[in-house]
Amino acid sequence: MAPLPNAELVQNSLQLYRYLLRCCKQLPEENIRQHYRHAIRQSFRVHADEDDPDRIQQIIKRAIEDADWVMNK
């Protein structure tokens, strides 16, 4: 399963959140989709107070790489 196009256009946390939820819609089983949606929401809650722009970009990059890995699994 290929990742969604335009991952390189993700620049901020809201765009990342939308991108990751769209990726979840492509997963084959409902229980897997629910698991990853929950994990995405939890991760955003954990990082909600992050204010360092470099760290935010690092988190975005890592999240997209992780999503690509999950989609290709």
Side-chain angles (χ1 to χ4, degrees):
M1 193 174 301
L4 289 176
N6 300 326
E8 66 277 357
L9 298 178
V10 174
Q11 297 297 316
N12 61 47
S13 57
L14 180 58
Q15 291 172 340
L16 176 64
Y17 188 74
R18 287 178 172 169
Y19 173 81
L20 294 175
L21 289 179
R22 279 189 236 115
C23 285
C24 284
K25 288 181 182 180
Q26 293 185 346
L27 294 172
E29 296 179 27
E30 180 60 30
N31 61 343
I32 295 171
R33 288 190 295 268
Q34 287 178 354
H35 168 76
Y36 283 109
R37 278 195 304 259
H38 178 74
I40 290 165
R41 289 182 182 116
Q42 289 298 104
S43 181
F44 272 81
R45 287 184 187 117
V46 167
H47 297 292
D49 60 345
E50 189 66 56
D51 58 357
D52 178 21
D54 291 334
R55 176 72 177 130
I56 292 170
Q57 289 304 312
Q58 183 182 28
I59 292 169
I60 289 172
K61 183 178 182 279
R62 178 60 191 252
I64 291 172
E65 289 171 357
D66 290 348
D68 290 347
W69 181 82
V70 168
M71 299 302 288
N72 290 323
K73 197 165 82 157

